[in-house]
Amino acid sequence: MRGTLRGTAVCFLAVMIGLASGCGGGGNSSEGGGRQTPIAPTVTVSPAASTITTAQSLKVTVTVSGKSGIATGSVTLTAGSYSSSTTALSGGVASITIAPGSLAAGSMTLKASYTPDSASSSAYNSASGTAPLTVSLATPTVSVTPASQSLVVGQVLAVVVNVSGGAGAPPATGTVVLSGGSYNSGSTALSGGSASVTIPPNTFAAGSVMLTGAYTPDISAVTLYKRASGQSAAITVFQANTVMVDQSGTGIHVTDQLLGMNLPSWYDVFS
C-alpha cells in the first residue's frame, strides 16, 4: 500500500513538470494532458492581376486554411512601402483593394500576414503568404478640346487640355505645351488635371490645323505617369472678307437686306 502511494505521488509530480503524459497506462499525445498544439495554416494570396499600372486599383483575395477548421482572425497586406489596414477574415477569406497610386512602379512581392484571434489561437499560429506583382508607370490620356472647330483668322481660340489617368486615378500634375502649325504656347501648369490656353488672333493662316497637347509630369507625378500627348480634331480657319460700302452718290444704295446682313440702321439712311 505504501509503495502504491509512493508511485502515485511520483507519477503526479512527473505529470506536473511535464516529464510524463499520464499515469496508470492512460497516455495522451496532446501536450498538457489534452491541449491542442497550434499549427501553421496555409496563407494564399490571389491578386486579380499579376501586372497593373500605377493608375490602376488592385483587388487581392487572401485565403487562410488549415486542418483545424475555419481560421478566424485578421490579415494585413504589404507591398513595398504600401501597407493595408487590418482586415478581418470571413469564412477564412479576406478581400483587400489597393487604391490607384498606392504602389510604385517595379517588380514587388505582395505579402499577407495572418494573425489568429482568441477563437483560433489554440488551433493556428501566425503565418504569411506571398504572390509576385509587376507595376508599370501609367500613360495618361491627353485630350485637347478647342472652344470651336472653326474660326476666322482674326479670332482668338480658347483651348482646354485635360490629362487623366482614368477613373479613380490620382490627378495628373505637371505642365502641358500646346502646339499647332508654327504656334507653340509655352508651358502651362495643370490644375486638377486641366489647363486652359488662349491662342491669340491671327495665329493661324486660312486652312486646316490640328493642335497637339504635350504633357510633362512634375516631381510629384513622375512616379505615377509617363510623358504623353494628344491631338485635337482638325480645326478649319477661314480668311476674313472685307466688304466696302459707299453710300454716297445717286446710284443704287446698299441696304442690309441686299448684303444679307443685319447691319446698323444708319446703313439704310442715305441723302
Side-chain angles (χ1 to χ4, degrees):
M1 178 70 177
R2 184 176 301 171
T4 302
L5 290 174
R6 182 181 299 170
T8 301
V10 170
C11 182
F12 174 76
L13 290 173
V15 170
M16 292 298 292
I17 65 175
L19 297 178
S21 59
C23 294
N28 193 318
S29 60
S30 297
E31 68 172 277
R35 286 185 303 166
Q36 182 181 5
T37 303
I39 63 172
T42 299
V43 180
T44 304
V45 182
S46 304
S50 59
T51 302
I52 63 169
T53 72
T54 49
Q56 291 179 304
S57 62
L58 179 66
K59 182 179 180 180
V60 182
T61 301
V62 181
T63 304
V64 182
S65 59
K67 297 180 179 179
S68 299
I70 296 175
T72 57
S74 60
V75 293
T76 301
L77 188 66
T78 58
S81 61
Y82 168 80
S83 182
S84 74
S85 58
T86 300
T87 304
L89 292 173
S90 176
V93 179
S95 179
I96 298 171
T97 299
I98 302 175
S102 299
L103 301 176
S107 297
M108 62 192 66
T109 299
L110 292 169
K111 180 181 179 181
S113 300
Y114 164 66
T115 302
D117 59 13
S118 58
S120 281
S121 60
S122 61
Y124 295 115
N125 291 319
S126 296
S128 63
T130 62
L133 179 67
T134 301
V135 182
S136 59
L137 280 177
T139 302
T141 299
V142 180
S143 59
V144 180
T145 308
S148 174
Q149 292 303 129
S150 63
L151 73 156
V152 175
V153 170
Q155 288 182 310
V156 299
L157 180 64
V159 182
V160 176
V161 181
N162 286 304
V163 182
S164 173
T173 55
T175 58
V176 292
V177 173
L178 189 65
S179 61
S182 60
Y183 170 76
N184 190 303
S185 69
S187 295
T188 302
L190 292 171
S191 176
S194 179
S196 296
V197 179
T198 299
I199 301 175
N202 302 308
T203 296
F204 303 119
S208 180
V209 64
M210 296 179 69
L211 299 174
T212 298
Y215 164 66
T216 301
D218 60 14
I219 192 169
S220 64
V222 73
T223 58
L224 294 173
Y225 297 117
K226 295 179 180 179
R227 291 172 177 261
S229 63
Q231 273 192 327
S232 72
I235 301 169
T236 303
V237 183
F238 296 100
Q239 180 64 52
N241 293 318
T242 302
V243 177
M244 301 296 294
V245 178
D246 184 1
Q247 295 286 59
S248 65
T250 58
I252 299 175
H253 295 279
V254 178
T255 66
D256 54 355
Q257 288 79 18
L258 288 174
L259 287 174
M261 302 169 64
N262 186 21
L263 299 174
S265 59
W266 58 264
Y267 269 95
D268 292 335
V269 177
F270 52 90
S271 56

